[in-house]
Amino acid sequence: MDVTAQSVWTNCLSFIKDNIQPQAYKTWFEPIVAVKLTDNALSIQVPSKFFYEWLEEHYVKILKVALTKQLGETAKLVYVIKMENTYGNKQPFTEKIPSSNRGALKSQDVDVPLNNKNPELKNPFVIPGIRNVKIESQLNPNYSFENFLEGDSNRLARNAGLAVANKPGGTSFNPLLIFGGVGLGKTHLAHAIGVDIKDKYPEKTVLYISAEKFTQQYIDSVKKNNRNDFIHFYQIIDVLIIDDVQFLSGKSGTQDVFFHIFNHLHQNGKQVILTSDKAPVDMQDIEQRLLSRFKWGLSAELQSPDFETRVSILKNKLYRDGVEMPDEIIEYVAKHIKTNVRELEGAIISLIAQSSFNKKEITVNLAKEIVEKFVKNTKREVSIDYIQKVVSDYFQMDVSTLQSKTRKRHIVQARQLAMFFAKKYTKASLASIGSQIGKRDHATVLHACKTVDNLSSTDKQFRKYVEDLSKKLSL
Ligand code: ADP
Ligand code: MG
């Protein structure tokens, strides 16, 4: 009998289906497509990076057993991550990760921003200036405006994004800079704008790229001696979306080249969309001339969504996945995970998976267990050093100033805030906090915590400090 990718996978599926819950099977296995079988390695195509990570985390064992049954001990599994194109190109934009190479995904990246169909275009820097070269947008169609729920926390950014998508390059929002903390939807919104533009203006060349990837390409171009081709390539783009520009900090060569590209695009009425984890004023080691350009257009912040928005995001997600869940549970999760939409989604997905795996009913108690894990995970990352760094950055002073013996009011306040947050976010004792924050004793720390409590209920400005810092620290 002929062994094909399809037949091998069908057999694996029937084994898997017998061994896991129907809901889990439906969610995680039905969307997979077997694409290739070579050298005893089966390639399966999955819809997203997240999907791949989830499979690796939860189903790698059963996948291994199933595949070994079919192909023997030397069997290998290769994931192909598919992100569909938003417009008429048949070649999918793929990344391949050998399953033996766990965790390698993050360091790996897509090949080139050009259509891989033409081998001579593999290099993104060839044929500068040719307008009808088809450039892959690298957009993820799952990140649409429709799926990006509106709330007070994102209204400005979302609407500015819509305005830009209606008239790319034709509004005063150029560049549009979307900034905010981790997991608040910057990447999603940036894609949504690109996807919408491609929809409305199919002839426009849209390119999404992370600042990290951009930097890498630039470095390669310097090595290969084709820096000018690199610049030309970017200058023919109509809508350039660069994600996480804070990554450019300290990289003066890349900043310089970006400056030239930016000016060219801007002068020619092309749209630039940027995202960053900080507002321009807080960006460090970015050249002034670049910062001032970032401020030319609109900087719109994504804030942590309020409770109602969190509930709608969860409901929308569940609806799209075809999963029903009692309101009580949704509200419980929304109430306890506040600062990061990615975690919010993660918690609800684990909840579904847990319940289908362990045949548990979805109860508030189960929700509690899972939420606790998420909340704990976030807290674990905060160290006293980190708190001191965040607080001193916020007040634009050095850590050594914060720790110094001075009695200047604003420095004392910063120090007290650092102590307060160290008490709140770490398990360290008062004595240990004191010794790490400028060699003070435990009574000083206790006093600091009380002072912060008092001031935040009586002084509006001070309360704002506490709120801002809480946000920064609870990511
Ligand atoms: P960031 O780039 O800011 O770290 P992402 O864009 O990766 O965040 O968003 C994290 C997750 O949260 C994504 O799955 C995204 O779809 C989801 N998300 C964020 N904001 C919203 C929103 N307003 N509506 C729906 N989903 C959202
Ligand atoms: Mg992002």
Side-chain angles (χ1 to χ4, degrees):
M1 197 192 83
D2 236 18
V3 179
T4 61
Q6 194 50 54
S7 69
V8 169
W9 184 239
T10 308
N11 291 339
C12 288
L13 281 183
S14 70
F15 173 78
I16 293 169
K17 196 170 186 175
D18 283 342
N19 285 286
I20 68 173
Q21 285 287 305
Q23 177 71 55
Y25 178 81
K26 201 167 170 274
T27 310
W28 301 108
F29 290 91
E30 280 186 358
I32 297 176
V33 184
V35 285
K36 203 168 72 179
L37 181 66
T38 34
D39 302 333
N40 234 21
L42 177 70
S43 304
I44 58 171
Q45 182 175 290
V46 299
S48 66
K49 261 189 197 181
F50 177 77
F51 213 94
Y52 147 80
E53 286 166 355
W54 188 269
L55 287 171
E56 275 285 275
E57 202 172 323
H58 300 271
Y59 298 107
V60 73
K61 277 206 194 108
I62 192 163
L63 277 165
K64 187 158 186 222
V65 173
L67 204 58
T68 314
K69 264 170 126 69
Q70 298 301 313
L71 299 174
E73 284 299 325
T74 59
K76 272 212 186 80
L77 185 66
V78 178
Y79 296 94
V80 179
I81 297 175
K82 179 173 186 225
M83 298 197 200
E84 257 157 57
N85 282 311
T86 43
Y87 63 109
N89 191 311
K90 275 142 246 110
Q91 187 82 6
F93 156 48
T94 56
E95 288 176 287
K96 295 196 178 70
I97 308 97
S99 81
S100 57
N101 203 0
R102 289 191 69 166
L105 183 63
K106 286 185 193 74
S107 56
Q108 208 153 343
D109 220 324
V110 283
D111 254 331
V112 285
L114 275 178
N115 184 351
N116 295 351
K117 225 169 23 182
N118 286 338
E120 74 271 25
L121 293 184
K122 273 228 149 147
N123 182 328
F125 316 127
V126 289
I127 327 186
I130 297 186
R131 289 279 354 203
N132 56 8
V133 170
K134 189 115 175 217
I135 293 169
E136 284 295 321
S137 290
Q138 316 292 357
L139 292 165
N140 178 350
N142 297 321
Y143 283 155
S144 63
F145 272 114
E146 206 187 13
N147 283 337
F148 192 81
L149 297 193
E150 183 168 329
D152 288 345
S153 56
N154 62 35
R155 187 160 290 122
L156 172 67
R158 190 178 188 279
N159 285 314
L162 279 167
V164 164
N166 283 329
K167 256 177 124 188
T171 67
S172 53
F173 307 154
N174 198 10
L176 173 63
L177 173 78
I178 301 160
F179 69 95
V182 179
L184 293 181
K186 301 181 294 293
T187 298
H188 185 144
L189 186 53
H191 276 278
I193 299 169
V195 168
D196 203 28
I197 293 176
K198 250 354 272 192
D199 212 33
K200 293 193 170 111
Y201 304 92
E203 75 292 353
K204 284 206 191 287
T205 310
V206 179
L207 181 69
Y208 167 91
I209 187 153
S210 68
E212 184 173 3
K213 176 85 181 155
F214 178 86
T215 304
Q216 197 50 53
Q217 286 184 352
Y218 170 67
I219 294 169
D220 287 348
S221 82
V222 172
K223 267 192 213 140
K224 293 190 190 130
N225 233 339
N226 51 16
R227 182 176 180 272
N228 284 339
D229 292 347
F230 172 86
I231 297 175
H232 283 138
F233 171 79
Y234 276 93
Q235 287 178 340
I236 63 166
I237 308 280
D238 295 316
V239 178
L240 179 61
I241 306 170
I242 302 202
D243 203 359
D244 289 319
V245 289
Q246 76 277 358
F247 186 84
L248 301 181
S249 75
K251 303 188 174 65
S252 55
T254 316
Q255 285 180 33
D256 185 57
V257 83
F258 180 58
F259 179 75
H260 291 295
I261 292 169
F262 179 93
N263 286 340
H264 183 94
L265 294 178
H266 199 271
Q267 276 158 19
N268 288 284
K270 305 303 169 65
Q271 180 71 44
V272 178
I273 298 155
L274 308 167
T275 79
S276 163
D277 68 352
K278 296 180 201 63
V281 282
D282 296 325
M283 287 186 204
Q284 276 166 7
D285 298 320
I286 301 260
E287 280 178 51
Q288 208 46 50
R289 56 178 188 167
L290 206 49
L291 278 183
S292 82
R293 293 218 172 10
F294 289 176
K295 294 179 205 157
W296 276 357
L298 176 74
S299 302
E301 183 172 11
L302 289 178
Q303 292 168 328
S304 301
D306 57 25
F307 177 72
E308 277 73 37
T309 313
R310 299 201 293 276
V311 169
S312 356
I313 290 174
L314 287 178
K315 287 196 170 159
N316 180 261
K317 166 122 196 83
L318 290 166
Y319 174 77
R320 279 188 287 138
D321 292 354
V323 179
E324 286 191 22
M325 194 170 293
D327 279 356
E328 191 193 6
I329 309 278
I330 299 174
E331 281 166 18
Y332 183 86
V333 174
K335 192 165 157 209
H336 289 87
I337 300 188
K338 297 181 194 154
T339 47
N340 183 325
V341 181
R342 190 177 294 134
E343 281 180 2
L344 198 62
E345 290 184 336
I348 214 85
I349 292 167
S350 333
L351 198 54
I352 300 167
Q354 278 284 334
S355 80
S356 55
F357 239 161
N358 304 331
K359 306 192 173 71
K360 281 191 204 163
E361 210 191 319
I362 302 184
T363 59
V364 173
N365 270 341
L366 183 60
K368 228 182 221 165
E369 267 174 45
I370 284 167
V371 164
E372 256 164 32
K373 264 187 221 145
F374 272 84
V375 176
K376 237 185 253 151
N377 279 344
T378 33
K379 281 198 176 155
R380 198 179 49 209
E381 288 165 25
V382 181
S383 67
I384 295 182
D385 279 346
Y386 178 71
I387 291 171
Q388 296 190 76
K389 171 94 179 56
V390 170
V391 174
S392 36
D393 280 354
Y394 179 78
F395 290 109
Q396 292 173 342
M397 58 179 74
D398 296 329
V399 174
S400 59
T401 312
L402 177 128
Q403 294 178 339
S404 68
K405 301 282 173 211
T406 173
R407 300 212 159 266
K408 284 200 187 110
R409 195 174 122 91
H410 72 285
I411 298 172
V412 173
Q413 277 192 348
R415 189 160 58 231
Q416 289 178 328
L417 279 161
M419 289 174 172
F420 170 83
F421 283 112
K423 182 69 198 143
K424 185 163 167 195
Y425 288 131
T426 72
K427 292 199 173 61
S429 66
L430 293 173
S432 150
I433 293 170
S435 82
Q436 290 181 66
I437 305 184
K439 302 204 172 59
R440 306 301 207 285
D441 62 14
H442 84 279
T444 311
V445 180
L446 192 60
H447 175 69
C449 294
K450 284 187 187 151
T451 311
V452 171
D453 262 339
N454 285 338
L455 281 178
S456 47
S457 54
T458 52
D459 178 338
K460 215 164 145 206
Q461 176 63 53
F462 198 84
R463 182 156 60 241
K464 170 109 174 52
Y465 294 156
V466 175
E467 282 166 7
D468 286 352
L469 286 165
S470 300
K471 262 191 220 151
K472 287 184 195 293
L473 288 165
S474 53
L475 294 176

